[in-house]
Amino acid sequence: MKLFSLTTNTTIVEIQWQAYPIGFFLLLLCLLTIFGNLSIIYVVVREIALHASTYYYIASLAFADFLIGLIVMPFGFMFGMTNDEYWLFSRHLKFLCDYWYSMNIFACTASIFALCTIGLERYTAISKPIEHPSLFISKRWYYWLLFIWISSAIIALLPIVLFGTVQETSRQLLNETSVTKSISLKECRFPNNLYYTLFISIVAFYSPLILMIYVYIKVYIAARKQAFALHSGYKQHSRAKSAKSHQLSSDFITVRIHHGKYQEPTQENGNVSWKS
């Protein structure tokens, strides 16, 4: 098998496939990624009880990871196994270079955005359980999914259209007479535009990372409060004051927790009682 440049018939080097056991492991990892995520999508589609915003976001994440396992990972493993960064296929298939890089950014960005959305949705479900079904992230879940996939497509396709993935380079080659010569070749590489690299790093990695850390810290704090309330049997709920009533001295009510029901404290004749 020969390794060609994208534009000429120059044979660069004989491909030396490395570490066959590692290759088998990587192939197995691809298959597990594909069939595992397909199983998640099948379960969400099949079970009517899972037709809710939470599981739609999980299915969206599974579909993004499915694309990674089906398209992105095989190409990446193939180039990694040859220990070379040049195009492995016929130069007539160089459109696959653009396709692979665009799908790489597209699927990975969609996966990261889906993780952020799941974190936000879970945080609102824990912190605002009453209002959660009517919130935008829960009630208008399809708009969130459209935003995830459209924004990921824009981020992925824009640099490919503007800059392309074919990058010119030079390499020292040894010909049949053992004479070294330098030739100009074109590699299949990700666009190395500094401004785009900085943009995609902030938008598709660092910002989601900071957001997910913040959200899951809040989820952890809220979960700790819930656990403490269940352990102690009491919990405070915030409530808004009525504009026509000034009888409430506090914005919080204390709720007594029982297994399967709760009771509110009421005061009659100076005595506190618990009313279901």
Side-chain angles (χ1 to χ4, degrees):
M1 184 176 182
K2 303 293 186 180
L3 184 61
F4 294 98
S5 73
L6 284 175
T7 55
T8 69
N9 285 326
T10 305
T11 299
I12 301 172
V13 68
E14 291 283 345
I15 296 180
Q16 299 296 324
W17 294 95
Q18 317 240 350
Y20 288 99
I22 296 178
F24 176 77
F25 172 76
L26 295 179
L27 175 62
L28 183 62
L29 186 61
C30 284
L31 294 176
L32 289 176
T33 302
I34 292 170
F35 290 106
N37 286 287
L38 278 179
S39 301
I40 294 174
I41 296 172
Y42 173 78
V43 170
V44 173
V45 173
R46 179 76 175 176
E47 295 295 330
I48 299 178
L50 302 182
H51 290 182
S53 60
T54 301
Y55 301 102
Y56 291 146
Y57 293 137
I58 294 176
S60 176
L61 173 63
F63 183 70
D65 292 340
F66 165 75
L67 293 178
I68 293 175
L70 182 67
I71 301 172
V72 178
M73 291 171 63
F75 278 91
F77 292 158
M78 192 179 301
F79 291 128
M81 286 293 296
T82 58
N83 198 25
D84 206 292
E85 56 190 7
Y86 284 80
W87 190 238
L88 300 176
F89 305 100
S90 169
R91 62 189 181 279
H92 302 295
L93 299 176
K94 63 182 180 181
F95 71 92
L96 289 176
C97 179
D98 293 338
Y99 176 72
W100 176 52
Y101 273 115
S102 60
M103 286 301 300
N104 188 355
I105 305 171
F106 174 64
C108 291
T109 303
S111 178
I112 293 172
F113 285 174
L115 284 172
C116 287
T117 303
I118 292 172
L120 287 171
E121 196 271 341
R122 286 296 83 202
Y123 172 65
T124 57
I126 292 177
S127 61
K128 299 179 180 180
I130 305 300
E131 301 93 334
H132 176 256
S134 60
L135 293 177
F136 185 84
I137 194 172
S138 179
K139 191 174 183 180
R140 299 287 186 264
W141 55 268
Y142 38 87
Y143 288 128
W144 276 88
L145 292 182
L146 283 175
F147 170 77
I148 289 173
W149 290 99
I150 292 176
S151 60
S152 300
I154 293 173
I155 292 174
L157 296 176
L158 191 61
I160 305 301
V161 173
L162 294 179
F163 310 116
T165 57
V166 179
Q167 307 293 326
E168 189 168 352
T169 187
S170 61
R171 176 176 286 200
Q172 300 292 328
L173 297 179
L174 197 66
N175 60 17
E176 296 177 355
T177 58
S178 300
V179 177
T180 302
K181 65 176 182 178
S182 177
I183 64 171
S184 178
L185 300 171
K186 293 190 177 181
E187 298 178 0
C188 172
R189 303 185 92 183
F190 183 76
N192 57 358
N193 183 274
L194 176 62
Y195 298 104
Y196 173 73
T197 303
L198 182 62
F199 167 77
I200 194 174
S201 299
I202 295 174
V203 173
F205 182 76
Y206 290 109
S207 295
L209 175 64
I210 294 172
L211 178 61
M212 281 190 284
I213 291 175
Y214 171 78
V215 167
Y216 281 108
I217 288 175
K218 300 289 287 185
V219 169
Y220 175 75
I221 294 173
R224 285 287 301 270
K225 289 181 178 178
Q226 293 277 15
F228 177 78
L230 291 173
H231 180 73
S232 63
Y234 298 92
K235 184 180 180 182
Q236 278 193 334
H237 283 283
S238 61
R239 62 181 179 182
K241 290 184 179 180
S242 173
K244 298 180 181 180
S245 174
H246 302 282
Q247 296 178 356
L248 298 177
S249 59
S250 174
D251 290 337
F252 298 92
I253 59 174
T254 301
V255 176
R256 186 177 182 183
I257 302 174
H258 287 272
H259 293 290
K261 64 178 183 177
Y262 72 93
Q263 293 180 327
E264 284 188 13
T266 59
Q267 186 171 0
E268 295 180 1
N269 300 325
N271 297 320
V272 176
S273 61
W274 297 89
K275 181 179 180 181
S276 299

